[in-house]
Amino acid sequence: MATTNEKLGPSANTTVTDPHSPMQSTNEAEEVLTGRPWMYRARRIGLFKIPAYASPPVQLVMVALVCFLCPGMFNALSGLGGGGQFDATTANNSSVALYSVFSVVGFFAGTIANRLGIKWTLSFGGLGYFIYIASFLSYNRNQNGGFPIFAGALLGVCAGLLWTAQGAIMMSYPPEESKGRYISWFWMIFNLGAVLGSLIPLGQNIHSSAGAVNDGTYIGFMVLTFCGAALSWCLVDARHVQRADGSHVVLMKHPTWQSELLGLLETLKTDRWVVFLFPMFFASNWFYTYQFNDVNSARFNIRTRALNGLLYWSSQILGALLFGYALDVSRIRRSVRAKAAWAVLFVITMAIWGGGYAWQKQYTRADTSAKDAPRIDWTASGYVGPMFLYMFYGFYDAAWQTCVYWFMGALTNNGRKLANFAGFYKGIQSAGAVVIFRIDALKAPFMNEFASCWGLLAGALLIALPLILVKVRDTVPLEDDVKFSDETIEEVMPTVGQETHTHDSKVQ
């Protein structure tokens, strides 16, 4: 039987005041930051202690589960190449619409998420994934290419909101010394969705050597994405989140459309160094088109594509685990860890993509364009080499994404500013995806696309180096974080076992 432990901080007994009540002064400076008392009670079930519902770990896991069910299923479908179809043209056109809209909405999505709140942004975003997958079910039956293009554009709006809210949560909820672990927890759970999602087409097509998936695959994905959209309503508002030391997330208490639009411009003015990360943002989804369409879809039959997807996303879990925890090694100063992470990224960029060059020299687009062109099955004698290459591609993706999020989180702890950072990230990332999807739709040579991936990744790392050398500090003072909000230090500072205004709490 569950027993109730002590609350996480003294504010758990605070009575929630209705801000519209006549008893509430409109000039009152102090905003009520806490929710209902049950949100702040940790519970124990047997030997397991479950953190409070409004604690960062629980909220992060819930957001990860939303992404597990929505973007995770999208990734599983995309990982098959061509949206599960034999010809990737329709999927490419849909993706161009998706990422064109995403690149615009994403850049401003931090403003929208700060104004609307987490529940609205995540739930609306989840429904977009449901409609997107439904469009491919329709296409499987009637070959109407217009529906996937419309659904892609709609998903561009939805995904921009969902991913910006997710990024802000992942970077602003944890204390400084735990950000790498929080990022890794999210990335592992999120990619577990793609792993399990890959089992659907694998199970549906395990005895098939065809080039496209069947209707049951799409229906399974639709059910899961709808559940993810519904789950987002179980989250608490960011202002109710309370860390183990009693501190709160730094936000705007009274956001307006005007304040958040001006805040977007202020972020670019006060944190102009973030532009050195923009090439890393641009490159972060660029290689997906090449890996999914020009490697997996081009060279393998449907059941082997499904297996490759399973291995790709499984490798992402390992990559997130290793990099996330390494980035939080407390014995090494954060500024030193940032430099080490950059060096490791550069080394594996050269190693993994060097192996990819050796593979890509073996075939061209002309070799794989015919519908009856031979496709590799997992029973073939030459399958093991490309299988491991594809796994390393997945590992590399997780390493890159984990480091980019951690670099952003190392610049500030302000939730409002990090929402804008996340919006920049997803908007610029999507702009890159638009370009490469269009290039692939125009049937560019595979080697050209491969070279663009390798060169862009290496160049982005070199451009980011000055920021990592100069701007990543060992800690960000709380005084700096509250400058970009209408809150005071007293409203958000730790209240349990804390005498100074620093972020040195431990995840419990």
Side-chain angles (χ1 to χ4, degrees):
M1 180 177 294
T3 60
T4 303
N5 287 344
E6 288 293 317
K7 55 185 171 46
L8 291 178
S11 55
N13 289 330
T14 303
T15 302
V16 179
T17 306
D18 183 357
H20 302 293
S21 168
M23 301 297 293
Q24 180 81 359
S25 172
T26 58
N27 296 322
E28 186 176 2
E30 183 177 357
E31 178 77 2
V32 177
L33 294 175
T34 56
R36 299 182 182 277
W38 63 265
M39 294 181 180
Y40 305 98
R41 299 192 185 106
R43 298 183 180 275
R44 186 176 296 278
I45 300 178
L47 299 176
F48 298 98
K49 182 179 179 181
I50 301 176
Y53 190 76
S55 67
V58 170
Q59 292 301 299
L60 180 88
V61 168
M62 293 181 66
V63 172
L65 289 174
V66 172
C67 293
F68 168 105
L69 292 166
C70 294
M73 298 305 110
F74 172 85
N75 282 349
L77 181 63
S78 300
L80 294 172
Q85 300 296 310
F86 175 83
D87 186 356
T89 301
T90 299
N92 280 340
N93 291 335
S94 177
S95 295
V96 168
L98 191 166
Y99 289 108
S100 296
V101 176
F102 197 163
S103 63
V104 177
V105 173
F107 199 84
F108 297 96
T111 296
I112 300 171
N114 284 335
R115 181 64 183 88
L116 295 182
I118 298 301
K119 291 181 181 179
W120 279 103
T121 52
L122 287 175
S123 61
F124 181 67
L127 286 176
Y129 288 93
F130 172 83
I131 295 172
Y132 178 83
I133 293 173
S135 73
F136 279 93
L137 173 62
S138 171
Y139 182 81
N140 222 28
R141 289 179 166 270
N142 55 35
Q143 303 297 300
N144 177 15
F147 190 11
I149 292 174
F150 165 78
L154 176 62
L155 182 56
V157 176
C158 297
L161 297 178
L162 182 145
W163 277 108
T164 297
Q166 171 274 330
I169 290 171
M170 189 172 65
M171 293 185 287
S172 66
Y173 281 18
E176 281 189 333
E177 75 282 356
S178 301
K179 290 192 177 186
R181 278 172 283 173
Y182 273 64
I183 294 168
S184 72
W185 296 344
F186 169 83
W187 212 253
M188 287 188 291
I189 296 172
F190 160 55
N191 282 298
L192 184 60
V195 169
L196 297 181
S198 296
L199 292 174
I200 295 174
L202 181 60
Q204 292 276 351
N205 302 281
I206 195 167
H207 299 298
S208 172
S209 58
V213 301
N214 56 35
D215 289 352
T217 300
Y218 294 116
I219 293 171
F221 284 150
M222 289 170 61
V223 172
L224 293 172
T225 52
F226 183 83
C227 291
L231 179 62
S232 63
W233 286 96
C234 297
L235 292 163
V236 302
D237 290 334
R239 73 177 190 273
H240 296 323
V241 174
Q242 185 171 275
R243 303 187 184 99
D245 62 1
S247 63
H248 293 274
V249 181
V250 180
L251 301 163
M252 283 289 284
K253 292 184 294 185
H254 304 288
T256 65
W257 288 114
Q258 180 181 6
S259 72
E260 297 317 300
L261 284 170
L262 292 175
L264 178 69
L265 298 176
E266 187 179 349
T267 298
L268 288 171
K269 180 180 178 180
T270 60
D271 293 78
R272 60 178 64 92
W273 276 81
V274 75
V275 300
F276 283 85
L277 290 177
F278 282 8
M280 290 191 75
F281 298 172
F282 191 80
S284 59
N285 270 14
W286 183 277
F287 46 79
Y288 282 168
T289 301
Y290 168 75
Q291 291 170 355
F292 297 160
N293 291 351
D294 304 343
V295 176
N296 201 25
S297 180
R299 292 293 285 145
F300 302 96
N301 62 26
I302 190 62
R303 70 174 189 171
T304 308
R305 284 157 59 184
L307 176 61
N308 288 344
L310 176 66
L311 297 173
Y312 183 94
W313 302 115
S314 298
S315 299
Q316 292 234 12
I317 294 175
L318 177 61
L321 175 66
L322 293 178
F323 272 78
Y325 276 76
L327 288 168
D328 279 347
V329 173
S330 59
R331 297 187 301 274
I332 304 173
R333 292 186 296 116
R334 184 167 71 173
S335 57
V336 177
R337 279 178 269 146
K339 299 177 181 69
W342 181 92
V344 172
L345 271 184
F346 192 84
V347 169
I348 64 174
T349 298
M350 296 298 107
I352 294 174
W353 288 89
Y357 174 69
W359 162 257
Q360 186 53 65
K361 289 191 298 183
Q362 300 176 18
Y363 67 98
T364 66
R365 186 181 289 274
D367 297 332
T368 63
S369 59
K371 195 164 186 178
D372 59 351
R375 295 291 193 268
I376 298 174
D377 187 72
W378 68 48
T379 59
S381 59
Y383 172 67
V384 174
M387 178 194 75
F388 277 106
L389 173 63
Y390 208 67
M391 291 173 66
F392 279 119
Y393 278 153
F395 179 92
Y396 180 86
D397 180 31
W400 185 275
Q401 307 281 357
T402 299
C403 287
V404 170
Y405 275 117
W406 188 84
F407 291 151
M408 287 190 289
L411 300 177
T412 181
N413 302 300
N414 184 291
R416 182 184 178 216
K417 186 175 291 185
L418 285 169
N420 286 326
F421 282 1
F424 298 158
Y425 181 30
K426 303 309 292 187
I428 295 169
Q429 178 188 74
S430 300
V434 171
V435 176
I436 189 60
F437 271 118
R438 185 56 184 163
I439 290 172
D440 193 56
L442 294 174
K443 310 298 185 184
F446 287 161
M447 183 59 79
N448 291 11
E449 293 189 31
F450 169 84
S452 71
C453 295
W454 196 3
L456 186 58
L457 291 166
L461 283 171
L462 294 176
I463 295 171
L465 184 57
L467 177 140
I468 292 165
L469 293 176
V470 175
K471 300 302 292 184
V472 176
R473 295 180 283 176
D474 293 329
T475 188
V476 178
L478 187 53
E479 289 83 355
D480 289 355
D481 286 330
V482 298
K483 289 178 182 178
F484 195 68
S485 74
D486 56 0
E487 293 180 322
T488 65
I489 291 176
E490 289 71 23
E491 288 174 321
V492 298
M493 66 180 290
T495 59
V496 179
Q498 192 77 23
E499 298 297 330
T500 60
H501 299 165
T502 59
H503 292 275
D504 59 355
S505 59
K506 298 291 184 183
V507 173
Q508 297 179 358

